[in-house]
Amino acid sequence: MATNEEILPDLASIVEEVAGVDAAEVTSEKSFVDDLDIDSLSMVEIAVQAEDKFGVKIPDDELAKLTTVQDAVDYISNHS
Amino acid sequence: MSATGQGVVVTGMGATTPLGGDVATTWDGLLAGRSGVRPIEEEWVDRFELPVKIASQLATEPADVIKRVEARRLDRSEQTAIIAAREAWAHADLGDYPSLEDGSPKVDALRLAVIVGTGIGGALTLLGQDDLLEQQGLRKVAVLTIPMLMPNGPAAHVGLEFGAAAGVHAPVSACASGAEALAWGWRMLQANEVDVVVAGGTEACIAPITLAGFSQARTMALRNDEPERASRPFDTGRNGFVLGEGAGMVVLEREEFAQARGATVHGRLAGIGTSADAYHITAPDPEGTGQSRAVAAALRTAGLDPADVGHVNCHATATNVGDVAETVAVKKAIGDHPVLTAPKGSLGHLLGAAGAVEAIATILSVREGLVPPTANLEELDPDVTLDVVSGEARKMTLDAAISDSFGFGGHNVCLAFTPA
């Protein structure tokens, strides 16, 4: 099981790649929508890339529950 | 002021073309008679045994100019549109982009429209994403596939960037699309629906299927061993056009509005004319009847006499039939006196962007009193009995000039420009 410290930098670089948000801004307490201004289409792209990177499956109904960066890190950590 | 109401003025221009990444370098390239045509360095040229191995490719890669995340989310034809539109906006000195919430010091979002045409649309996205679907399955298909391939995508992205809330439109009329965007803008401004229109055209579809399709239609130049000499409008040695890519955008404004904000005016879109050949899906009417009706309409709406028109920036793509038919139309509508040039000798054929980029060339010819030479015109077709500039640029004072654009389907658009 990957740790938070291992997941966060990789997830942040995916967010930067997809949405153009500086990776340094992608910190655990941030909300994807409210803080990082990421739209639902970009979230789908981020999920697809995260699935490949971390070897997890993120179904759409689970993706909808991932509000903050920490939510995503926890999900990945628990499912990889 | 035009014959039919308020004047429409040009206050900004932007372009990215095979001659350069902006208007200045494109114009310099035209004046020098430089060619933007280069060999296509892709493995598929040989794999498909394409008869055409050359294209007029962008001088500046869009991805080197825009942010990486933008490059990822935009089709190449949307990237070029955005780049040209930003240059035009800055050139017009319109300041911060307006928004419905915050307003703007210079133009109201509700009085700003964007009109961007394309001939083909997001073909590279369509092809690339279809390959991904076929080879790697659904999960690999990009979430933004549809907005990247839809032909209104470039207009929509430019509209979003500027916050244009009065309307965003995307004329699709093959190689007349870019000119049609300007004509559409002229109509909106004349009707006083808006104060400012960003109008232009974009195209980026150099791909195996487009080259194969145009080749099968027997429309393409085949001088693969001499790329820079391949596009030869009006020359006896011409044998078709060279496919190109790029974008051109102009900022058009109601004259009163531009005056009130103290804008620098580079020229006037004095009138426009559109018509349809009603003749054949690809071939131009050899008598130039539809084309001459469009030219006549442009003169009429501009309140110009044929004698006023000193110059025609021709559509001339370097096909055998088309070039001569256009001169027939010019003679019919204007007479024997206009001095012609054919920018596609340098630019190649930018399809949906051609009309917009060539409109910019026409505006600059009127402003600078300089008509660029027709690159590669060495021996004038004897069936062309008009004065075509070749060799070097010609100095001449112009009271009015026409930019011609015609497209597969029989679309004819003519724009009449006069000095500021």
Side-chain angles (χ1 to χ4, degrees):
Chain A
M1 196 171 80
T3 65
N4 282 7
E5 290 70 28
E6 290 163 351
I7 295 168
L8 187 57
D10 286 342
L11 181 64
S13 67
I14 289 172
V15 172
E16 179 173 281
E17 169 80 17
V18 170
V21 177
D22 189 344
E25 297 287 310
V26 185
T27 48
S28 56
E29 77 286 0
K30 295 275 176 66
S31 156
F32 288 109
V33 174
D34 296 333
D35 298 324
L36 301 177
D37 201 23
I38 293 171
D39 63 24
S40 60
L41 286 182
S42 295
M43 280 305 292
V44 174
E45 278 199 270
I46 289 166
V48 170
Q49 292 209 12
E51 287 182 342
D52 289 348
K53 179 77 191 174
F54 302 109
V56 293
K57 287 292 288 177
I58 311 177
D60 284 356
D61 53 350
E62 293 293 336
L63 178 61
K65 296 177 197 162
L66 305 181
T67 306
T68 65
V69 174
Q70 188 62 47
D71 293 343
V73 170
D74 290 343
Y75 182 90
I76 292 163
S77 173
N78 293 333
H79 293 80
S80 59
Chain B
M1 183 143 317
S2 82
T4 51
Q6 22 201 348
V8 173
V9 295
V10 179
T11 57
M13 293 171 273
T16 182
T17 74
L19 297 175
D22 56 19
V23 168
T25 51
T26 298
W27 178 239
D28 286 347
L30 285 170
L31 290 178
R34 197 152 56 76
S35 168
V37 182
R38 303 197 306 271
I40 301 170
E41 289 168 4
E42 299 281 353
E43 54 78 26
W44 44 255
V45 174
D46 292 328
R47 177 153 54 97
F48 294 118
E49 298 179 359
L50 294 175
V52 174
K53 304 178 192 305
I54 54 175
S56 198
Q57 298 161 72
L58 285 169
T60 301
E61 266 303 305
D64 294 341
V65 181
I66 59 177
K67 284 186 278 189
R68 206 155 68 97
V69 68
E70 290 176 323
R72 219 175 152 273
R73 298 168 72 92
L74 300 173
D75 179 76
R76 189 172 173 87
S77 66
E78 297 170 340
Q79 297 172 12
T80 48
I82 285 281
I83 289 165
R86 285 176 181 164
E87 183 190 357
W89 184 275
H91 188 213
D93 193 24
L94 279 163
D96 293 340
Y97 301 153
S99 80
L100 286 173
E101 294 77 28
D102 304 329
S104 158
K106 295 199 175 174
V107 55
D108 184 344
L110 290 168
R111 296 285 292 176
L112 171 67
V114 164
I115 311 173
V116 180
T118 178
I120 307 282
L124 300 182
T125 293
L126 176 60
L127 294 162
Q129 295 300 319
D130 187 63
D131 284 350
L132 286 173
L133 178 61
E134 294 270 5
Q135 292 158 11
Q136 300 185 46
L138 172 67
R139 282 186 72 260
K140 291 295 177 185
V141 174
V143 173
L144 294 172
T145 296
I146 300 303
M148 288 171 73
L149 70 80
M150 62 193 195
N152 59 313
H157 278 291
V158 174
L160 277 170
E161 165 113 359
F162 296 154
V168 172
H169 307 285
V172 174
S173 47
C175 310
S177 303
E180 184 138 26
L182 271 68
W184 197 327
W186 183 88
R187 289 186 180 122
M188 289 186 86
L189 291 159
Q190 284 277 313
N192 200 4
E193 292 176 28
V194 289
D195 294 322
V196 178
V197 176
V198 179
T202 188
E203 203 74 72
C205 66
I206 298 171
I209 190 62
T210 45
L211 291 164
F214 282 124
S215 295
Q216 289 295 81
R218 308 295 191 267
T219 57
M220 302 213 78
L222 300 173
R223 203 180 283 254
N224 292 316
D225 49 344
E226 295 179 292
E228 297 192 344
R229 300 184 67 217
S231 183
R232 325 175 56 80
F234 296 127
D235 187 80
T236 50
R238 71 187 185 277
N239 59 4
F241 71 82
V242 176
L243 184 61
E245 58 180 355
M249 299 285 160
V250 298
V251 176
L252 302 173
E253 300 187 36
R254 289 194 310 110
E255 184 174 10
E256 286 174 5
F257 184 81
Q259 274 175 354
R261 74 177 187 92
T264 302
V265 173
H266 301 281
R268 293 161 178 277
L269 178 52
I272 59 108
T274 62
S275 72
D277 273 4
Y279 175 78
H280 187 271
I281 190 65
T282 56
D285 173 359
E287 300 301 318
T289 310
Q291 295 178 6
S292 67
R293 279 191 284 115
V295 177
L299 297 185
R300 190 170 63 246
T301 54
L304 291 168
D305 289 324
D308 298 327
V309 180
H311 166 54
V312 177
N313 185 300
C314 291
H315 181 70
T317 64
T319 60
N320 282 322
V321 182
D323 289 14
V324 175
E326 181 171 6
T327 64
V328 172
V330 167
K331 283 197 277 191
K332 200 175 278 185
I334 307 175
D336 290 330
H337 60 278
V339 170
L340 312 186
T341 193
K344 289 184 181 70
S346 288
L347 288 163
H349 194 348
L350 307 186
L351 304 187
V357 171
E358 293 167 14
I360 291 170
T362 311
I363 294 160
L364 292 173
S365 280
V366 173
R367 192 185 76 180
E368 304 296 322
L370 267 179
V371 175
T374 303
N376 296 316
L377 174 52
E378 291 166 5
E379 186 181 346
L380 187 65
D381 184 328
D383 288 337
V384 175
T385 55
L386 296 174
D387 180 3
V388 185
V389 181
S390 63
E392 57 186 46
R394 190 180 301 179
K395 281 186 184 172
M396 52 191 302
T397 303
L398 295 170
D399 295 327
I402 294 277
S403 178
D404 275 352
S405 294
F406 312 127
F408 271 12
H411 311 275
N412 307 309
V413 180
C414 292
L415 308 171
F417 292 100
T418 57

